[in-house]
Amino acid sequence: MTLTLLDWIIIAVYVFACMAAGLWMRRYLRDVEDFTIAGREVHTNLAIASLAATEFGLVTVMYTAQLGYEKGFAGATIGVIMAAAFLLVGYTGFVIQPLRNAGVLTIPELFEKRFSKRVRWLAGVFVALGGLLNMGIFLRLGGDFFVYATGMPPSWLEPVMTILLGLLVLYTVFGGMLSVLVTDYLQFIVMGLGIVVTSVLVIWKTGWGDIIGTLQAAWAGTGPTKLAADPFNPFHPSSFGWGYIVWQVIFQIAVVTTWQTTITRVLATKDSATAKRMYRRTSFYFVGRFLLPGLWGVAAFVWFSQHGGLPADLNSSTAMPHFLGRLLPVGLLGLVVAAMIAAEMTTISGYMLTWATVIYNDIIMPCLKKPLSKKGQLLLTRVILFGIAIFLLFYGLWYKMPGNAWDYLAVTGNIYLASVFTLLVAGLYWPRANCYGAYAALILGAVGPLTFLVVNACVTKEQQIAPEIAGAASFGLAFLGMILGSLLTTAPAKTAAPAANPA
């Protein structure tokens, strides 16, 4: 293994600090609102750190580096689009302002106020389904990083990731959102330091001129390794192409207004003005979120090009951690691995809590005839968290992705993003929208992504459905279903948006 005693000490100290901080916060829990959204008392700076940390997980590092390895600097285009979407929504308050003012715990809860209890339940099912499938690959990608960065035997992957999952479940079950926020803040500091220092070292060791020159030669076909995508032009058909970029623009607007882990931070803020500031001040972070780990992937491509090409036991996903394991010196490797463990723990814990809240609040609670006590609500949410952990353990370690990681994450997210985004926009801004339109949008919006997952897992690479086709189709079908379903029916509709409730 490439880790030394100093590296292990750094890792152990950080993991212990995260566990201690997370468990310490359990004393401040009073009810399920504290557990799920921290009592709606999150101020701007903590909200920024929590949002940035949760949306910068180890899975983020892995898929952005993979994009960098496969598409060069063009792979960072998605981060630019995401930053622009956050900035736009942060200035206009589009969707997030009325959503925060509605005083709900989750997005589907808003749909009961606007449409019906059944719409809320069905939306909760699709949100949970898309969210769980989306995070299903987190453990496998995280394990791949640790194996190839540290030289850990591949047979250790499953036991190590099982132990890591057990630790993060422990502090999440006891401390809820309060624990997640504290560990997010620690991750924000450690991860920021590790990312910046590693990026500087990567450029220094590889050489900026060598990076640019190797990419140009690889694209021109004159270098030792060929690159199939234009590394500088995202609009070139070999890279992303116009169709993919258009889909991503729509997709990222839906993400920043609909993705439940992001919206959980919106709902936890003190008010809608704080939520808007959080979006504006976090927006440019998402450029670095794609660009810096993407740079690591680019540098890995350059390094392997200069050292005989990619070995048979590596691929575009595992090339970056293998490269870092041989580049980083003693101490810094331990810091980076600690930062990645932090990223894995806080992201998975934040996502687990989010989907557990949806399952509890929008799938189970509407079906209960008698409300649970506060203790019963907390117990139920914790049991759901355990169930999600078991799902992650088995699904995450056997499912084989069709294509690269980013496409899988984007399409599984589309299972509910397209339909729920449609319901939010129509419910908040179109008085004619009704429950039949909502049903049609929810069902039709999931058709494209689910078809993508099933078909692409069963056919050859040449026969697979392009992700932009599945993604764009889901948005088109969802909007069409909402419009036709609402205009062609006379079902009674709650024509006013939910009343503002600053509580």
Side-chain angles (χ1 to χ4, degrees):
M1 295 183 69
T2 56
L3 294 177
T4 65
L5 178 61
L6 178 60
D7 295 317
W8 281 113
I9 291 174
I10 293 172
I11 294 168
V13 167
Y14 182 76
V15 171
F16 176 79
C18 279
M19 289 296 300
L23 292 174
W24 178 264
M25 297 306 295
R26 63 176 297 190
R27 64 177 54 203
Y28 299 107
L29 283 179
R30 296 166 298 180
D31 52 32
V32 74
E33 187 167 285
D34 286 342
F35 189 82
T36 55
I37 54 174
R40 303 187 196 274
E41 292 295 331
V42 179
H43 57 74
T44 304
N45 292 333
L46 181 56
I48 290 170
S50 179
L51 177 59
T54 298
E55 295 306 322
F56 199 117
L58 181 49
V59 65
T60 310
V61 173
M62 292 294 284
Y63 71 67
T64 50
Q66 185 179 34
L67 287 174
Y69 190 95
E70 295 178 352
K71 302 179 186 299
F73 290 108
T77 303
I78 297 170
V80 176
I81 297 172
M82 182 179 287
F86 267 101
L87 201 60
L88 174 66
V89 174
Y91 274 109
T92 63
F94 177 62
V95 173
I96 67 168
Q97 182 168 334
L99 181 61
R100 171 61 188 88
N101 290 339
V104 295
L105 285 177
T106 60
I107 292 174
E109 186 178 340
L110 182 80
F111 298 153
E112 181 176 354
K113 296 183 177 184
R114 180 61 177 83
F115 298 110
S116 70
K117 181 179 288 188
R118 291 181 179 179
V119 170
R120 172 187 179 179
W121 184 87
L122 186 61
V125 169
F126 281 114
V127 168
L129 176 63
L132 291 175
L133 289 176
N134 183 269
M135 71 180 297
I137 63 170
F138 286 13
L139 282 180
R140 169 59 64 180
L141 286 181
D144 283 342
F145 179 89
F146 297 133
V147 165
Y148 291 98
T150 68
M152 181 175 70
S155 60
W156 289 17
L157 189 150
E158 287 81 4
V160 167
M161 298 311 293
T162 300
I163 293 171
L164 188 63
L165 180 64
L167 292 175
L168 67 91
V169 167
L170 182 63
Y171 73 72
T172 306
V173 163
F174 282 112
M177 178 58 80
L178 295 174
S179 293
V180 170
L181 288 172
V182 171
T183 53
D184 278 353
Y185 202 81
L186 290 173
Q187 183 212 336
F188 182 72
I189 296 171
V190 176
M191 174 63 85
L193 178 62
I195 289 287
V196 172
V197 173
T198 300
S199 299
V200 170
L201 187 62
V202 163
I203 295 175
W204 178 49
K205 289 286 189 179
T206 310
W208 185 254
D210 284 347
I211 291 175
I212 300 299
T214 302
L215 287 179
Q216 290 173 335
W219 171 235
T222 59
T225 305
K226 291 184 178 181
L227 190 61
D230 188 329
F232 305 105
N233 181 11
F235 300 101
H236 194 280
S238 65
S239 183
F240 289 117
W242 280 98
Y244 195 100
I245 296 296
V246 170
W247 167 50
Q248 280 299 306
V249 170
I250 301 170
F251 175 77
Q252 294 300 345
I253 293 174
V255 166
V256 303
T257 54
T258 309
W259 192 240
Q260 187 65 50
T261 55
T262 302
I263 294 303
T264 297
R265 272 70 189 167
V266 171
L267 300 177
T269 55
K270 295 178 69 68
D271 50 41
S272 59
T274 302
K276 291 166 66 177
R277 284 196 300 272
M278 173 182 71
Y279 269 45
R280 292 195 300 270
R281 296 179 186 179
T282 313
S283 58
F284 294 104
Y285 171 84
F286 288 92
V287 177
R289 173 184 188 256
F290 274 79
L291 181 59
L292 295 182
L295 171 65
W296 303 356
V298 171
F301 176 84
V302 172
W303 190 85
F304 282 111
S305 295
Q306 297 172 345
H307 291 80
L310 193 67
D313 61 333
L314 297 178
N315 54 42
S316 60
S317 176
T318 56
M320 179 275 294
H322 183 90
F323 164 69
L324 288 187
R326 281 135 192 84
L327 174 76
L328 299 180
V330 173
L332 182 55
L333 179 59
L335 176 64
V336 170
V337 171
M340 296 306 165
I341 290 175
E344 185 81 343
M345 292 176 69
T346 54
T347 298
I348 292 181
S349 63
Y351 273 55
M352 285 176 59
L353 184 61
T354 294
W355 308 130
T357 302
V358 171
I359 294 171
Y360 150 77
N361 194 58
D362 303 308
I363 298 177
I364 296 178
M365 292 301 290
C367 298
L368 299 179
K369 294 182 179 180
K370 183 180 179 181
L372 296 175
S373 64
K374 289 185 177 181
K375 288 185 177 180
Q377 293 172 354
L378 277 174
L379 177 61
L380 177 58
T381 307
R382 285 166 168 161
V383 169
I384 295 170
L385 277 169
F386 274 115
I388 293 174
I390 293 172
F391 165 79
L392 290 178
L393 191 60
F394 289 97
Y395 180 89
L397 296 179
W398 65 260
Y399 180 75
K400 185 177 178 61
M401 288 183 297
N404 67 39
W406 169 252
D407 287 343
Y408 172 86
L409 293 170
V411 172
T412 51
N414 248 145
I415 290 175
Y416 91 81
L417 279 174
S419 56
V420 172
F421 177 66
T422 302
L423 264 66
L424 273 175
V425 173
L428 293 171
Y429 301 106
W430 188 35
R432 183 67 179 86
N434 64 26
C435 60
Y436 289 117
Y439 290 138
L442 285 168
I443 294 171
L444 292 177
V447 169
L450 290 175
T451 302
F452 172 91
L453 293 176
V454 174
V455 171
N456 285 15
C458 301
V459 300
T460 63
K461 185 176 181 179
E462 293 72 21
Q463 297 172 315
Q464 289 181 350
I465 302 170
E468 61 267 31
I469 293 177
S474 65
F475 280 99
L477 289 172
F479 272 94
L480 183 65
M482 172 59 76
I483 294 170
L484 294 181
S486 298
L487 293 179
L488 298 179
T489 61
T490 57
K494 301 175 182 179
T495 56
N501 177 14

